[in-house]
Amino acid sequence: MVSLVSPRVSAPEAPAPAPRRRGSIARGRRRLGIAYAAPMAVLVAVFFVIPLGLMLWMSVSHWPLVGASYPNGVKNYDALSDPLFLRAVWFTLKYTLVTTVVLSLVAFGLALLVQHDRRGTGFARTVFFLPSAVGLASTSLLFYGLFNTDSSALNHLVDFLGFGRADWLGSGGSALGSTAGMITWRFAGFYMLILMTGLQGIDPALYEAARIDGANRWQILWRVTLPLLRPTLALAMVLSLTGSLLAFDQFFILTGGRHDTATVVIDIYREAFLSQDLGRAAAVSVATLAVLIVLNVAQLRLIRREGK
Protein backbone atom coordinates (compact mmCIF):
# COMPACT_ATOMS: atom_id res chain seq x y z
CA MET A 1 0.00 0.00 0.00
CA VAL A 2 1.33 3.38 -0.90
CA SER A 3 1.11 6.06 1.80
CA LEU A 4 -0.50 9.27 0.70
CA VAL A 5 1.19 11.24 3.50
CA SER A 6 4.39 12.80 2.35
CA PRO A 7 7.30 12.46 4.71
CA ARG A 8 8.04 15.55 6.89
CA VAL A 9 10.93 17.48 5.51
CA SER A 10 12.87 19.57 8.03
CA ALA A 11 13.57 23.17 7.13
CA PRO A 12 17.09 23.76 5.98
CA GLU A 13 19.32 25.31 8.66
CA ALA A 14 20.59 28.81 8.07
CA PRO A 15 24.18 28.74 7.00
CA ALA A 16 26.63 29.89 9.68
CA PRO A 17 28.31 33.18 8.89
CA ALA A 18 31.55 32.73 7.20
CA PRO A 19 34.62 33.28 9.39
CA ARG A 20 35.99 35.64 6.79
CA ARG A 21 32.91 37.86 7.08
CA ARG A 22 33.16 37.97 10.88
CA GLY A 23 36.78 38.95 10.60
CA SER A 24 35.99 41.77 8.17
CA ILE A 25 33.29 43.12 10.54
CA ALA A 26 35.74 43.08 13.45
CA ARG A 27 38.36 44.87 11.37
CA GLY A 28 35.79 47.48 10.34
CA ARG A 29 34.83 48.15 13.94
CA ARG A 30 38.48 48.38 14.91
CA ARG A 31 39.16 50.92 12.17
CA LEU A 32 36.10 52.92 13.21
CA GLY A 33 37.32 53.00 16.82
CA ILE A 34 40.76 54.14 15.67
CA ALA A 35 39.14 56.86 13.56
CA TYR A 36 37.17 58.12 16.58
CA ALA A 37 40.23 58.09 18.86
CA ALA A 38 42.72 59.49 16.35
CA PRO A 39 41.90 63.24 16.77
CA MET A 40 42.29 63.09 20.55
CA ALA A 41 45.45 60.98 20.22
CA VAL A 42 46.91 63.62 17.90
CA LEU A 43 46.04 66.40 20.34
CA VAL A 44 47.60 64.52 23.27
CA ALA A 45 50.74 63.82 21.23
CA VAL A 46 51.12 67.40 20.00
CA PHE A 47 50.28 69.23 23.21
CA PHE A 48 51.53 66.78 25.87
CA VAL A 49 53.81 63.94 24.73
CA ILE A 50 56.04 65.98 22.41
CA PRO A 51 56.39 68.96 24.83
CA LEU A 52 57.10 66.52 27.68
CA GLY A 53 59.84 64.83 25.67
CA LEU A 54 61.28 68.23 24.74
CA MET A 55 61.26 69.31 28.39
CA LEU A 56 63.13 66.14 29.41
CA TRP A 57 65.72 66.77 26.71
CA MET A 58 66.08 70.42 27.71
CA SER A 59 66.62 69.40 31.35
CA VAL A 60 69.82 67.54 30.37
CA SER A 61 71.06 70.23 27.97
CA HIS A 62 72.57 73.67 28.18
CA TRP A 63 69.69 75.50 26.54
CA PRO A 64 69.89 79.30 26.63
CA LEU A 65 66.88 81.40 25.73
CA VAL A 66 68.83 82.72 22.75
CA GLY A 67 71.69 80.74 21.25
CA ALA A 68 72.80 77.21 20.49
CA SER A 69 72.14 74.31 22.85
CA TYR A 70 74.20 71.23 23.67
CA PRO A 71 73.87 68.30 26.11
CA ASN A 72 75.41 68.77 29.55
CA GLY A 73 74.13 65.75 31.48
CA VAL A 74 72.52 66.37 34.85
CA LYS A 75 74.32 69.64 35.50
CA ASN A 76 71.05 71.60 35.30
CA TYR A 77 69.70 69.70 38.30
CA ASP A 78 72.11 71.70 40.46
CA ALA A 79 69.28 74.25 40.42
CA LEU A 80 67.47 72.06 42.97
CA SER A 81 70.09 72.97 45.58
CA ASP A 82 70.12 76.69 44.78
CA PRO A 83 69.25 78.82 47.87
CA LEU A 84 66.65 80.79 45.91
CA PHE A 85 64.92 77.58 44.85
CA LEU A 86 64.99 76.18 48.38
CA ARG A 87 63.40 79.37 49.72
CA ALA A 88 60.76 79.10 46.99
CA VAL A 89 60.07 75.48 47.99
CA TRP A 90 59.73 76.43 51.67
CA PHE A 91 57.35 79.30 50.92
CA THR A 92 55.31 77.10 48.53
CA LEU A 93 54.96 74.43 51.22
CA LYS A 94 53.79 77.01 53.80
CA TYR A 95 51.33 78.48 51.34
CA THR A 96 50.06 75.00 50.38
CA LEU A 97 49.52 74.02 54.02
CA VAL A 98 47.71 77.22 54.98
CA THR A 99 45.58 77.36 51.85
CA THR A 100 44.61 73.68 51.91
CA VAL A 101 43.55 73.74 55.57
CA VAL A 102 41.63 77.03 55.41
CA LEU A 103 40.01 76.30 52.05
CA SER A 104 38.96 72.78 53.06
CA LEU A 105 37.38 73.96 56.33
CA VAL A 106 35.49 76.84 54.71
CA ALA A 107 34.30 74.72 51.77
CA PHE A 108 33.19 71.92 54.09
CA GLY A 109 31.26 74.36 56.27
CA LEU A 110 29.53 75.84 53.24
CA ALA A 111 28.68 72.37 51.94
CA LEU A 112 27.10 71.42 55.27
CA LEU A 113 25.14 74.67 55.18
CA VAL A 114 23.58 74.17 51.73
CA GLN A 115 23.47 70.39 51.31
CA HIS A 116 19.70 70.13 51.94
CA ASP A 117 17.10 71.60 49.61
CA ARG A 118 15.44 74.24 51.74
CA ARG A 119 14.10 77.68 51.03
CA GLY A 120 16.93 79.97 49.98
CA THR A 121 19.60 77.27 49.56
CA GLY A 122 19.53 77.61 45.77
CA PHE A 123 20.27 81.33 46.06
CA ALA A 124 22.99 80.67 48.66
CA ARG A 125 24.68 78.07 46.45
CA THR A 126 24.70 80.52 43.55
CA VAL A 127 26.17 83.31 45.68
CA PHE A 128 28.88 81.05 47.11
CA PHE A 129 29.79 79.70 43.67
CA LEU A 130 29.84 83.02 41.81
CA PRO A 131 33.48 83.93 42.69
CA SER A 132 34.57 80.69 40.97
CA ALA A 133 33.36 82.14 37.67
CA VAL A 134 35.95 84.94 37.89
CA GLY A 135 39.34 84.20 36.38
CA LEU A 136 42.27 83.90 38.78
CA ALA A 137 44.22 86.69 37.09
CA SER A 138 41.18 88.99 37.24
CA THR A 139 40.66 88.10 40.90
CA SER A 140 44.30 88.87 41.65
CA LEU A 141 44.05 92.28 39.96
CA LEU A 142 40.85 93.02 41.88
CA PHE A 143 42.43 92.16 45.23
CA TYR A 144 45.63 94.02 44.29
CA GLY A 145 43.50 97.16 44.17
CA LEU A 146 41.93 96.28 47.52
CA PHE A 147 45.23 95.45 49.21
CA ASN A 148 47.54 98.00 47.68
CA THR A 149 45.48 101.18 47.63
CA ASP A 150 45.05 103.36 50.71
CA SER A 151 41.67 104.58 49.47
CA SER A 152 40.29 101.07 48.86
CA ALA A 153 37.07 99.94 50.52
CA LEU A 154 38.95 97.23 52.44
CA ASN A 155 41.34 99.71 54.06
CA HIS A 156 38.47 102.06 54.89
CA LEU A 157 36.66 99.13 56.54
CA VAL A 158 39.56 98.07 58.77
CA ASP A 159 40.22 101.70 59.64
CA PHE A 160 36.55 102.15 60.60
CA LEU A 161 36.74 99.04 62.81
CA GLY A 162 39.69 100.58 64.65
CA PHE A 163 42.49 98.32 63.40
CA GLY A 164 44.31 100.99 61.41
CA ARG A 165 45.54 100.75 57.84
CA ALA A 166 47.14 97.36 57.23
CA ASP A 167 50.10 96.68 54.96
CA TRP A 168 48.53 93.66 53.30
CA LEU A 169 51.44 92.85 50.97
CA GLY A 170 54.35 94.44 52.78
CA SER A 171 55.93 91.27 54.18
CA GLY A 172 56.02 87.56 53.52
CA GLY A 173 53.64 86.73 56.36
CA SER A 174 51.04 89.36 55.50
CA ALA A 175 51.25 88.53 51.78
CA LEU A 176 50.80 84.84 52.59
CA GLY A 177 47.70 85.46 54.70
CA SER A 178 46.22 87.95 52.25
CA THR A 179 46.73 85.64 49.28
CA ALA A 180 45.31 82.65 51.18
CA GLY A 181 42.21 84.72 51.97
CA MET A 182 41.84 85.70 48.33
CA ILE A 183 42.20 82.09 47.16
CA THR A 184 39.63 80.96 49.73
CA TRP A 185 37.17 83.57 48.44
CA ARG A 186 37.85 82.48 44.86
CA PHE A 187 37.70 78.67 45.21
CA ALA A 188 35.52 77.96 48.28
CA GLY A 189 32.36 77.74 46.19
CA PHE A 190 33.94 75.35 43.72
CA TYR A 191 35.08 72.92 46.42
CA MET A 192 31.73 73.41 48.17
CA LEU A 193 30.00 71.84 45.15
CA ILE A 194 32.38 68.85 45.19
CA LEU A 195 31.84 68.22 48.90
CA MET A 196 28.09 68.86 48.66
CA THR A 197 27.86 66.16 45.99
CA GLY A 198 29.59 63.74 48.34
CA LEU A 199 27.30 64.68 51.23
CA GLN A 200 24.19 64.17 49.14
CA GLY A 201 25.44 60.72 48.15
CA ILE A 202 25.31 59.47 51.76
CA ASP A 203 22.24 57.35 52.48
CA PRO A 204 19.85 59.27 54.82
CA ALA A 205 18.96 55.96 56.47
CA LEU A 206 22.42 55.93 58.06
CA TYR A 207 21.72 59.27 59.75
CA GLU A 208 18.35 58.04 60.93
CA ALA A 209 19.91 54.89 62.39
CA ALA A 210 22.52 56.99 64.21
CA ARG A 211 19.83 59.22 65.71
CA ILE A 212 17.86 56.19 66.87
CA ASP A 213 21.03 54.95 68.60
CA GLY A 214 21.21 58.26 70.47
CA ALA A 215 24.04 59.98 68.56
CA ASN A 216 24.12 63.77 68.67
CA ARG A 217 25.13 66.07 65.78
CA TRP A 218 28.86 66.02 66.52
CA GLN A 219 28.91 62.25 66.87
CA ILE A 220 27.04 61.87 63.56
CA LEU A 221 29.53 64.22 61.92
CA TRP A 222 32.61 62.36 63.22
CA ARG A 223 31.26 58.79 63.09
CA VAL A 224 29.08 58.86 59.96
CA THR A 225 29.65 61.88 57.72
CA LEU A 226 33.44 62.19 57.70
CA PRO A 227 34.23 58.47 57.25
CA LEU A 228 31.82 58.18 54.31
CA LEU A 229 33.08 61.46 52.83
CA ARG A 230 36.76 60.47 52.81
CA PRO A 231 37.04 59.75 49.05
CA THR A 232 35.44 63.11 48.20
CA LEU A 233 37.61 64.90 50.77
CA ALA A 234 40.69 63.19 49.33
CA LEU A 235 39.80 64.40 45.84
CA ALA A 236 39.19 67.97 47.00
CA MET A 237 42.38 68.11 49.05
CA VAL A 238 44.57 66.73 46.25
CA LEU A 239 43.09 69.26 43.82
CA SER A 240 43.85 71.99 46.34
CA LEU A 241 47.38 70.66 46.90
CA THR A 242 48.07 70.53 43.17
CA GLY A 243 46.76 74.04 42.60
CA SER A 244 48.76 75.43 45.54
CA LEU A 245 52.00 73.78 44.46
CA LEU A 246 51.56 75.30 41.00
CA ALA A 247 50.67 78.78 42.32
CA PHE A 248 51.88 81.53 40.01
CA ASP A 249 49.30 84.12 38.92
CA GLN A 250 48.33 85.34 42.36
CA PHE A 251 51.85 85.98 43.66
CA PHE A 252 53.17 87.24 40.33
CA ILE A 253 50.44 89.89 40.26
CA LEU A 254 50.20 90.70 43.98
CA THR A 255 53.89 90.71 45.00
CA GLY A 256 55.96 89.85 41.93
CA GLY A 257 57.84 87.37 44.12
CA ARG A 258 59.15 90.06 46.46
CA HIS A 259 59.44 89.68 50.27
CA ASP A 260 60.39 86.00 49.85
CA THR A 261 57.00 85.20 48.30
CA ALA A 262 58.42 83.49 45.21
CA THR A 263 56.80 80.11 44.58
CA VAL A 264 58.33 77.17 42.71
CA VAL A 265 56.64 78.19 39.46
CA ILE A 266 57.87 81.77 39.87
CA ASP A 267 61.36 80.30 40.32
CA ILE A 268 60.88 78.40 37.04
CA TYR A 269 59.82 81.66 35.36
CA ARG A 270 62.83 83.44 36.86
CA GLU A 271 65.26 80.80 35.58
CA ALA A 272 63.71 80.72 32.11
CA PHE A 273 63.11 84.39 31.33
CA LEU A 274 65.22 86.43 33.76
CA SER A 275 68.31 84.22 33.89
CA GLN A 276 67.54 83.07 30.30
CA ASP A 277 68.43 79.47 31.13
CA LEU A 278 65.71 77.16 29.83
CA GLY A 279 67.73 74.07 30.79
CA ARG A 280 67.69 74.85 34.52
CA ALA A 281 64.03 75.85 34.30
CA ALA A 282 63.25 72.51 32.64
CA ALA A 283 65.12 70.63 35.38
CA VAL A 284 63.02 72.32 38.08
CA SER A 285 59.89 71.58 36.03
CA VAL A 286 60.79 67.88 35.84
CA ALA A 287 61.25 67.73 39.62
CA THR A 288 57.91 69.49 40.15
CA LEU A 289 56.19 67.08 37.76
CA ALA A 290 57.61 64.11 39.68
CA VAL A 291 56.16 65.46 42.95
CA LEU A 292 52.76 65.97 41.32
CA ILE A 293 52.79 62.41 39.93
CA VAL A 294 53.49 61.03 43.41
CA LEU A 295 50.59 63.07 44.82
CA ASN A 296 48.19 61.88 42.14
CA VAL A 297 49.20 58.23 42.59
CA ALA A 298 48.67 58.58 46.35
CA GLN A 299 45.25 60.12 45.68
CA LEU A 300 44.17 57.25 43.42
CA ARG A 301 45.31 54.64 45.92
CA LEU A 302 43.51 56.41 48.75
CA ILE A 303 40.27 56.66 46.79
CA ARG A 304 40.44 53.01 45.70
CA ARG A 305 41.16 51.84 49.23
CA GLU A 306 38.29 53.86 50.67
CA GLY A 307 35.98 52.63 47.93
CA LYS A 308 36.48 48.95 48.84
Side-chain angles (χ1 to χ4, degrees):
M1 181 181 293
V2 179
S3 175
L4 298 178
V5 180
S6 60
R8 182 176 296 177
V9 180
S10 59
E13 296 181 358
R20 183 176 299 177
R21 186 176 180 183
R22 287 200 301 266
S24 63
I25 294 176
R27 284 194 297 271
R29 291 178 177 175
R30 195 159 47 242
R31 290 170 183 168
L32 184 62
I34 293 174
Y36 280 132
M40 183 55 66
V42 171
L43 289 176
V44 171
V46 171
F47 294 105
F48 180 74
V49 177
I50 295 176
L52 179 61
L54 179 60
M55 183 184 69
L56 293 173
W57 175 248
M58 290 172 64
S59 70
V60 293
S61 303
H62 174 70
W63 202 297
L65 187 62
V66 178
S69 61
Y70 56 85
N72 65 348
V74 295
K75 186 176 180 181
N76 290 328
Y77 287 88
D78 292 343
L80 301 180
S81 60
D82 186 275
L84 290 177
F85 173 74
L86 295 178
R87 283 204 295 270
V89 170
W90 174 240
F91 179 76
T92 303
L93 291 176
K94 288 193 298 183
Y95 168 74
T96 300
L97 178 62
V98 172
T99 303
T100 300
V101 172
V102 174
L103 183 57
S104 299
L105 291 175
V106 173
F108 184 60
L110 294 178
L112 289 175
L113 185 64
V114 300
Q115 64 171 318
H116 299 297
D117 291 328
R118 295 189 295 264
R119 186 177 180 180
T121 54
F123 176 76
R125 292 170 186 170
T126 303
V127 170
F128 294 151
F129 182 75
L130 273 179
S132 301
V134 184
L136 183 56
S138 301
T139 302
S140 301
L141 288 172
L142 171 65
F143 274 80
Y144 181 81
L146 292 174
F147 289 146
N148 212 39
T149 306
D150 289 337
S151 60
S152 69
L154 181 61
N155 282 317
H156 278 301
L157 176 62
V158 296
D159 194 19
F160 174 77
L161 294 176
F163 295 103
R165 300 293 175 91
D167 191 1
W168 302 99
L169 305 173
S171 64
S174 61
L176 174 62
S178 301
T179 307
M182 181 198 75
I183 292 297
T184 301
W185 178 85
R186 166 65 174 76
F187 287 102
F190 173 74
Y191 290 106
M192 174 201 72
L193 285 185
I194 296 177
L195 296 176
M196 186 183 69
T197 303
L199 287 171
Q200 292 178 343
I202 299 175
D203 190 353
L206 298 174
Y207 292 122
E208 187 63 28
R211 294 189 189 97
I212 293 174
D213 289 338
N216 56 36
R217 290 185 178 183
W218 285 108
Q219 290 172 332
I220 291 175
L221 177 65
W222 286 105
R223 303 289 179 84
V224 179
T225 303
L226 289 179
L228 294 176
L229 200 64
R230 282 177 186 172
T232 308
L233 284 171
L235 174 62
M237 291 189 68
V238 170
L239 288 175
S240 178
L241 284 171
T242 303
S244 299
L245 290 174
L246 296 178
F248 175 76
D249 297 35
Q250 54 268 48
F251 288 104
F252 187 78
I253 293 174
L254 292 177
T255 67
R258 297 184 298 273
H259 311 302
D260 285 333
T261 58
T263 61
V264 171
V265 182
I266 288 181
D267 185 75
I268 294 173
Y269 168 84
R270 185 166 52 199
E271 291 285 359
F273 299 105
L274 299 183
S275 301
Q276 299 186 1
D277 193 338
L278 297 181
R280 286 172 65 90
V284 177
S285 300
V286 170
T288 305
L289 177 62
V291 173
L292 293 177
I293 290 174
V294 171
L295 284 177
N296 281 277
V297 170
Q299 172 213 3
L300 290 175
R301 288 187 175 181
L302 179 62
I303 292 177
R304 287 174 182 173
R305 186 180 65 185
E306 294 296 337
K308 292 180 180 179

